[in-house]
Amino acid sequence: MRKLITTFAILIAVLVAGMTALVLLVNPNDFKSYMVQQVKKRSGYQLVLNGDLRWHVWPKLSILSGPMSLTAPGAAQPTVTADNMRLDVELLPLLSHQLHISNILITHAVIQAIPESAAQSGLNTPIAPDDPSSLSPTLGHWSLDIARVAITNSLLVWQDPQGEQLNFRNLTLRLHQDETRSGHYHLLTALTRNQQTFSVDLEGQMDASHYPYKLLFSVDRGHYQLQGVSLPEQGIEGDTSFNAEWSPMSSAFALTNFSLHANDSDFSGEANGSLAPTLKLGLTLHSQTANFDQLLLSHTSLSSVPSALPHHESTGGDGVEASHVRTPVVVEKNNRGFIDWLNQSDISSRLTADQATWHGVTVNDLVLDAHNVLGVMNLHSLAGKVGGGQFGLQGEVDFRPELTKVQLQTDVQRIPLEIVQPLLQLPSVLRGAISLQGQFTGQGLQGKDIVTQWQGQSSVELLGLDIPRMNVQQMVIDAVTRASNRVNADPKIHPVIPNMQGQFTLSKGQLQLTTLEGENDQVSLNALGNINFAQKNLDITFNLLTRGWKGDPSLIALLANEPIPLRFYGPWSHLQYALSVDRLLKNNFKSRVQQWLKDNEKTKNSSSGQ
């Protein structure tokens, strides 16, 4: 044991003596001009090392520098500036006049990726061919080799093609490369903008053997997090991986094998495009589950909306108590920044999702196929399945005005009214399903904009329509039986509103029913009138021909041939109705008396003639 300790002591003494001798005999400032020339020859960049270089022997043999800067050819500002730099060198190669730098560590650096720091070349300056042999040049009898580069606690200033500067703070980049400029990297940084912070932690492989013509890299392990205002309380975070190709000279990029998880959403696919002169992006994505309420919306609130159940007017019928229901309202965050981004971009996208959530609505088999050019989006298809029905939209959306303009063709089949009414910020008083085929133009994308700022015309079909606690056919039956004891309804009949088809027009917040009619075994029904969404009132009259009566044959014949009008009118918060059965019966009695008088007169005339 004593001999082992003695051996280690001798080795340590020799190492200390060797490093001491190196510090005493080799002046690190002798390498300064050599490193400057090597950087100049290998990259064209101008390296400036201010102050003297000095040795640092623990925990590694290193050369420390004072303030340094690295400037691209012809650039007005340096690309990299730092207060200090550490070069970890290998001891044995120094003895044979080789400077092997195993690691470069730069802390508290400022890296500028802005036009003022970009390389400037003359119009006739030739571009050298991509020569991997230039990676290990020699100058004099010194040789230079760098395997690792680390930048920690630094700042990256990047300016996008539109001129906006973004500051990536707390930047840490570690790069390990071989002689072919292929290797491994690890990147951590954070971007704060508009009171939101986006942080990333990426790790993968990189191939810079063809740089600056092409840079290949992969993200084998990536984690990100987005937090701040107008976001879910827990933020948006997840993992990502992809392969990428970047062409610096053309600002073109391509992503393949793309995978992204964001909270409980997932996306996979590919992307390609370019960053300059304007952003051009092509996206092909698929998702098994996409929750757009978390990814795109600030919040969904609830607001009390008055029910449109009627109050009885004195003309007849029983009063129906009004109720208040709470319905979700479409509340979108201030997304002008996103719209400005669309106005400056060329984006072609195709998104498919097995299941998506939007404003609390589950959409299956979602398809979005659109092409946006500088704020004008050609919507090839927006389709999906909802609540046993399906929808399809086509048209154009213009994001350039302050209030978005739309031109849409709609094909809606059997969508539940319980879904449609809250999205349009309408009282949830109807049940059933609706089908629409029409064309619309207008301004705005929120629910209230659709019903007040759009115009157009459409066919409509109402299926399985039901008004809870109110049935128009039963209201007529009750009114007739109260007005006359000569007829009564078949107790086996349970009134059901028939499916109804028709047409309507929408203009300046007013929906005009031009036709709406339906028929089943119990009733024939048609409706005319209008709904004013801006003023929240309506005036609609239903005309009913009811069947299944028992009693006086003449009165049954009357009810089967004379429609009974049922009118709903007034504001939604205090809706009233009028049902004039008495008038119909009085008219019938009057007509029967007149007919009796006519028949009696004819009898008298015929008797006198004889």
Side-chain angles (χ1 to χ4, degrees), residues 30-31 34 38 93-100 137-144:
D30 294 342
F31 304 135
Y34 164 71
Q38 285 290 287
L94 283 175
L95 302 178
S96 59
H97 297 283
Q98 293 181 340
L99 181 62
H100 279 201
T138 59
L139 183 62
H141 57 277
W142 286 98
S143 66
L144 179 65

Side-chain angles (χ1 to χ4, degrees), residues 135-168:
L135 299 176
S136 300
T138 59
L139 183 62
H141 57 277
W142 286 98
S143 66
L144 179 65
D145 184 20
I146 302 174
R148 300 176 184 269
V149 175
I151 301 173
T152 63
N153 298 325
S154 298
L155 170 67
L156 169 63
V157 181
W158 179 69
Q159 181 171 309
D160 65 19
Q162 287 71 43
E164 182 176 1
Q165 290 190 0
L166 304 177
N167 296 330
F168 294 85

Side-chain angles (χ1 to χ4, degrees), residues 219 224 239-244 254-261 266-271 283-286:
V219 173
Y224 70 92
D239 300 318
T240 184
S241 63
F242 54 85
N243 297 325
L255 273 64
T256 57
N257 299 323
F258 176 76
S259 175
L260 175 73
H261 288 82
D266 65 89
F267 300 91
S268 61
E270 58 186 23
L283 285 172
T284 302
L285 297 176
H286 175 74

Side-chain angles (χ1 to χ4, degrees), residues 70-79 112 114-120:
L70 190 65
T71 306
Q77 296 185 22
T79 302
Q112 298 189 97
I114 59 177
E116 292 78 7
S117 65
Q120 305 294 325

